[in-house]
Amino acid sequence: AQKVTQAQTEISVVEKEDVTLDCVYETRDTTYYLFWYKQPPSGELVFLIRRNSFDEQNEISGRYSWNFQKSTSSFNFTITASQVVDSAVYFCALSDYNNNDMRFGAGTRLTVKP
Amino acid sequence: GAVVSQHPSRVICKSGTSVKIECRSLDFQATTMFWYRQFPKQSLMLMATSNEGSKATYEQGVEKDKFLINHASLTLSTLTVTSAHPEDSSFYICSARDKGRLTYEQYFGPGTRLTVT
């Protein structure tokens, strides 16, 4: 069975601080996809990144970076120099390689205070 | 590209009535669409997978007679909540998979907030 654990329910930081959101996953598949989504108060999911299980390279996109480590089954997300607009719920998700069975973590609510 | 719309964005209905939610892929064909439910401050839970022209596959614990799914075309899937009750109040999100893309990526709609009074 596929499972995603986001142990941090809520995180509060002050603007300009760096923050890391943890994601640990479980799967028996050898090929799979990992995702991060942002859900602002409006509710619409905003796609941030997709990573396949063969690609363990870390990725950086502006202030966002992702650390994928298969050895620890983790796919952590770091926001550098956080901003108030980063306040949202962030979901980590896991799907099989055909993207048929997407499972979401419980989400981490990030609040960035000015 | 890859835009998915949902209609309505918000709906309020009375207990016992039925409500239909539409999910459309606007610029691609979707052989497969997914329906998720999200209760307040909770995660998204997959309810069912619908394939164009065939019956939907429901996740364990989801009542197929209560949540009717119709995927009649490559760009439209509908979810009908029959005899709605207050406990059905939730945020319903659909996603669609692009038939033309090998990566099978899911594109999410903006969601429909259902309130049953």
Side-chain angles (χ1 to χ4, degrees):
Chain A
Q2 314 227 94
K3 183 180 178 182
V4 178
T5 301
Q6 294 180 256
Q8 304 150 308
T9 307
E10 296 191 28
I11 299 176
S12 181
V13 299
V14 176
E15 207 169 20
K16 297 184 184 177
E17 282 185 28
D18 298 347
V19 58
T20 295
L21 310 182
D22 298 332
C23 173
V24 174
Y25 64 93
E26 294 176 33
T27 180
R28 291 178 185 161
D29 296 341
T30 54
T31 55
Y32 50 88
Y33 283 114
L34 292 162
F35 303 81
W36 275 95
Y37 290 91
K38 175 182 180 180
Q39 188 178 44
S42 64
E44 184 163 0
L45 285 178
V46 177
F47 169 82
L48 297 177
I49 191 171
R50 181 188 69 208
R51 172 67 74 225
N52 75 50
S53 53
F54 296 117
D55 185 359
E56 286 194 71
Q57 274 195 328
N58 292 332
E59 176 140 348
I60 298 174
S61 177
R63 296 184 297 108
Y64 295 169
S65 62
W66 291 269
N67 185 338
F68 176 29
Q69 293 198 357
K70 284 180 79 170
S71 60
T72 56
S73 297
S74 65
F75 187 43
N76 297 337
F77 171 36
T78 298
I79 301 175
T80 303
S82 60
Q83 299 176 2
V84 173
V85 292
D86 295 328
S87 297
V89 180
Y90 290 85
F91 290 100
C92 180
L94 166 70
S95 79
D96 61 20
Y97 207 68
N98 291 321
N99 218 335
N100 276 331
D101 186 19
M102 182 174 277
R103 303 290 164 169
F104 286 80
T108 297
R109 182 175 299 275
L110 174 65
T111 302
V112 182
K113 298 178 181 177
Chain B
V3 178
V4 176
S5 70
Q6 283 185 240
H7 178 78
S9 56
R10 288 178 177 271
V11 58
I12 300 173
C13 70
K14 292 189 175 180
S15 189
T17 62
S18 296
V19 61
K20 180 185 286 188
I21 302 170
E22 292 185 350
C23 176
R24 291 181 187 273
S25 55
L26 298 185
D27 50 2
F28 65 96
Q29 293 184 324
T31 49
T32 305
M33 288 184 171
F34 304 86
W35 287 95
Y36 295 83
R37 180 168 53 184
Q38 185 181 26
F39 291 111
K41 297 193 175 183
Q42 292 189 26
S43 187
L44 283 77
M45 299 298 293
L46 179 65
M47 298 175 65
T49 302
S50 78
N51 292 296
E52 185 261 339
S54 62
K55 289 185 179 181
T57 303
Y58 291 82
E59 294 297 303
Q60 195 170 8
V62 178
E63 301 173 57
K64 62 180 181 181
D65 295 329
K66 182 170 184 61
F67 299 98
L68 301 179
I69 292 172
N70 186 302
H71 191 161
S73 79
L74 286 173
T75 59
L76 173 65
S77 176
T78 60
L79 168 68
T80 301
V81 183
T82 62
S83 186
H85 288 98
E87 57 265 30
D88 298 322
S89 298
S90 187
F91 192 54
Y92 292 87
I93 304 174
C94 75
S95 70
R97 204 164 67 189
D98 188 340
K99 176 185 177 186
R101 284 177 176 254
L102 294 177
T103 56
Y104 301 103
E105 186 156 351
Q106 290 187 33
Y107 299 98
F108 286 85
T112 296
R113 196 166 300 281
L114 169 64
T115 303
V116 184
T117 60

